[in-house]
Amino acid sequence: MVQKYHSPLRVYKYPFELVMAAYERRFPSCPLIPIFVSCEIVRDETSSDGSETVIERRCKLNVDVPYLLKKIIGVDFVYFIQRNTLNRRKRRLLIEAWNETFSNRVEIFETCEYFVHPESNDWTCFEQVANFEIKSFLGFENAIEKVAIKQYSASISKGKEIIEHFIKELAKEGVTEIPIWQEDVCSTKSEAGSDEDNEKSRNEEMQSPNAEEVQVMLAEELTLGASASDLLRRHSVSQSLGSGDHKSFQLDHDYIQMYLGKLTMMQESKLVQLRECMAELQKGKALPDSTLLRFLRSREFNLEKARESLCQSLQWRKKYQVDKILSEYTCPEVVTTYFPGGWHHTDSEGRPLYVLRLGQMDVKGLVKTIGEDGLLTLTLHVCEEGLQLLDEATRREGRPISNWSLLIDLEGLNMRHLWRPGIKALLRVIEIVEANYPETMGRVFTVRAPRVFPILWTLVSPFIDVNTRSKFLFYGGNDYQAEGGLMAHISQEILPDFLGGTCSSRIVEGELVPKSLYLTDDAEWERPLKEDSIYHCVSLTKGQVHEVILLSEDAGSVITWDFDVMKHDISFRVIFTQSRIEEESITSGTSILERLSTGGEEYEFVESQLVCHDGESVQGSHVTAHAGCYILQWKFHVAPHKSSSQGTSESQKAHIMYYTEHLSSEHYRGSLSSLQSSNSQQTAPSTSSTASR
């Protein structure tokens, strides 16, 4: 078992030399570190010019472990070797420590470094990396690992306050400043070199802002609206532990607390490691730390799983150019007019609030006008807006705001919403959002839920992450107005007026999308609606039929259909035959039925002929009784009572949009379409809000 810890950068707003004086007071023992009993120096060497000192200590620790475990392992104390290399010229302390006790069973190696902050000579940075490996320990590997992590966590949490404590002790003694080490001048050459070094140092000091200047810069940029991620990239830098290694941006501990929230020691470490890993993969390009943290949380801080899912998401964003959505997306007019959703202030915890009047949404109309991809693009635009709003909320509130809230109004939800293609589109959206925007949902408030809602929830909930499902709050009828209900999360002043609040909203009241908006002209019928569309478009002239052939291998499977008559009248029926027909879909003047009749083959009508008129929508399903071939047939229809003089011209066409699906008996658990086998008529766009769908 191997555990790695990599600390975020810790900044002491004191000069390096003063921090070193405070650090030395930890030896030979420190009452503030109870487990640190004592130490003895086994090596003490200083270079001839006095610039570098190496001190090696053997440290005695009283590890806090259960008494029984101490007796089993047979020790009361453990010993560590610590080697400190202080370079006064470079103003840097490198600390290396490893365990001496049980070194053949447990391997602990720690590297720490104190160094001057790159942006202020008066600040000191601290960074540490540790590796724990429990090889074998008499069956107590898990217990030993937990003890090691616990002790290490306690030591780290104490580290910064111990330095602060000893700096205050030095101040009480009148020590508030220690001069920077200067090399003795022994020759003209060395004197010249020293002058050059001093000049270089003075230039660096002139170029580097002091602590007050950095604080002013931070405050100004916060006021101007710089994002937390931008501030980090500009004002938090660290060096790698190896001399001369490439410098990389590093997370600051104080920055994490302020902009990302309180994390445990190991969570901070995972965040730092993922940041370094992704910077390497992205060739130095820094990702927002809030994004890294969201993917870590979604994978319970499993570094490898978070890295894998994040890489997949980055590839997805690049493939579909998601980063350009905010700047390039133009909201279609049909969405502006008929989509009942939008951002609406914040909830009581300062989270951005999105309101969706799902019960008023015409999912079918939206899918048939902008397609599934259009609906998905709209959703992604909303999510990208949400990320921007989170950044703004964090700056405004002065604390981490890492997720938003969703208020879903279900008034008006009925069986027409349980439309299979719409559910499929919804599930696709949920799947993509869950994969690429994890941990962005704070709360989901569902209000005015009708009786049909449990059916919809049963269908959709299995596709929602378990953690996200736990964030749903449900209110049936007017329960949301009760004390301790929705008002506990959204104030009366923010609650939209259509829910009884006092805040007017610009969210439209959803209506049925007029069928005249589905397609623009006859030329559109010569090609698919969209590359992503689940619908097919067909034009039929007088005498023509369009047939879809479905082969059923077993009885009990379910055939579903959904179609709209966009122009003229058509007839529809379903035919069964045991003759095998290979074509999947065909439009011609001769129907398969005529071919079967001519060939003397048997067939039967399993769904009788239905005449559908211009503007009607039809949904239905059929449970197969036999294995064989099922034919869905649409035909240009002319009323029998019309005379030839009243008949249609040869150039007139009927237009239909249709969708079919064949569900095997093995997977069939109840067809959504069978819940609403019906047809409806939309008389005019102006009355679309009252038309049944």
Side-chain angles (χ1 to χ4, degrees), residues 579-590:
S579 301
R580 190 170 186 85
I581 304 171
E582 297 299 333
E583 299 97 331
E584 291 184 357
S585 178
I586 185 171
T587 302
S588 68
T590 303

Side-chain angles (χ1 to χ4, degrees), residues 87-364:
N87 190 315
R88 298 179 179 85
R89 179 185 286 109
K90 295 182 179 180
R91 302 177 74 192
R92 171 180 166 184
L93 173 65
L94 178 64
I95 305 168
E96 299 167 292
W98 59 92
N99 62 305
E100 182 182 72
T101 306
F102 299 120
S103 59
N104 61 328
R105 297 180 180 274
V106 180
E107 185 175 297
I108 302 175
F109 186 80
E110 177 189 59
T111 306
C112 306
E113 184 180 19
Y114 289 89
F115 55 93
V116 178
H117 195 289
E119 293 182 358
S120 175
N121 282 333
D122 293 329
W123 288 3
T124 303
C125 299
F126 174 73
E127 183 182 36
Q128 65 192 128
V129 177
N131 286 289
F132 307 85
E133 182 176 2
I134 315 298
K135 297 177 181 178
S136 62
F137 216 99
L138 308 175
F140 291 95
E141 290 81 7
N142 288 330
I144 294 296
E145 182 181 41
K146 290 178 181 178
V147 168
I149 295 296
K150 178 183 176 182
Q151 294 291 337
Y152 199 69
S153 299
S155 173
I156 288 173
S157 62
K158 280 277 188 181
K160 188 171 183 179
E161 64 182 69
I162 289 172
I163 293 293
E164 298 278 357
H165 169 79
F166 285 125
I167 286 177
K168 290 178 182 178
E169 290 292 316
L170 288 168
K172 290 178 182 178
E173 298 171 11
V175 181
T176 57
E177 184 177 350
I178 297 176
I180 297 175
W181 178 86
Q182 296 289 335
E183 186 174 3
D184 292 335
V185 180
C186 300
S187 63
T188 305
K189 182 177 180 180
S190 62
E191 184 176 346
S194 178
D195 290 341
E196 291 175 1
D197 289 342
N198 291 337
E199 182 65 25
K200 183 178 180 181
S201 177
R202 282 194 295 272
N203 289 336
E204 289 177 349
E205 289 177 5
M206 291 176 65
Q207 293 173 3
S208 300
N210 59 30
E212 290 74 15
E213 289 173 335
V214 172
Q215 289 175 327
V216 170
M217 289 163 60
L218 284 167
E220 288 177 348
E221 293 189 19
L222 277 169
T223 304
L224 292 173
S227 71
S229 299
D230 288 339
L231 291 175
L232 173 65
R233 282 191 281 273
R234 295 177 206 167
H235 300 293
S236 184
V237 186
S238 76
Q239 300 168 329
S240 58
L241 296 179
S243 175
D245 287 350
H246 178 70
K247 291 184 179 181
S248 61
F249 290 108
Q250 174 66 297
L251 281 167
D252 185 298
H253 174 74
D254 294 335
Y255 160 83
I256 292 176
Q257 298 289 314
M258 183 177 298
Y259 292 105
L260 301 178
K262 188 173 181 60
L263 302 176
T264 67
M265 179 196 81
M266 293 307 294
Q267 288 173 345
E268 287 182 346
S269 172
K270 299 296 184 184
L271 179 57
V272 172
Q273 291 178 62
L274 182 59
R275 196 173 202 272
E276 291 184 346
C277 176
M278 296 309 299
E280 183 178 347
L281 291 174
Q282 296 292 305
K283 298 181 179 179
K285 181 181 178 181
L287 294 172
D289 302 306
S290 55
T291 299
L292 302 177
L293 189 56
R294 285 193 290 106
F295 277 87
L296 280 168
R297 282 175 169 154
S298 70
R299 298 298 182 268
E300 298 181 338
F301 285 87
N302 183 303
L303 184 62
E304 185 55 34
K305 289 182 179 179
R307 184 199 63 79
E308 182 179 353
S309 58
L310 180 53
C311 286
Q312 291 174 352
S313 179
L314 291 175
Q315 292 173 359
W316 168 82
R317 293 182 71 89
K318 183 177 181 180
K319 180 178 180 180
Y320 295 101
Q321 298 185 318
V322 179
D323 291 333
K324 296 182 179 180
I325 282 182
L326 285 179
S327 60
E328 296 184 356
Y329 177 74
T330 301
C331 190
E333 186 176 352
V334 66
V335 172
T336 304
T337 307
Y338 297 100
F339 183 74
W343 292 103
H344 180 81
H345 302 287
T346 62
D347 66 9
S348 58
E349 296 184 32
R351 292 181 292 219
L353 178 66
Y354 192 87
V355 178
L356 180 64
R357 304 182 73 174
L358 183 61
Q360 304 297 321
M361 185 187 299
D362 180 10
V363 180
K364 183 175 184 178

Side-chain angles (χ1 to χ4, degrees), residues 334 364-371 513-514 517-519 530:
V334 66
K364 183 175 184 178
L366 289 169
V367 170
K368 289 191 175 185
T369 50
I370 64 175
V513 179
L517 298 180
Y518 284 8
L519 292 173
K530 287 181 178 290

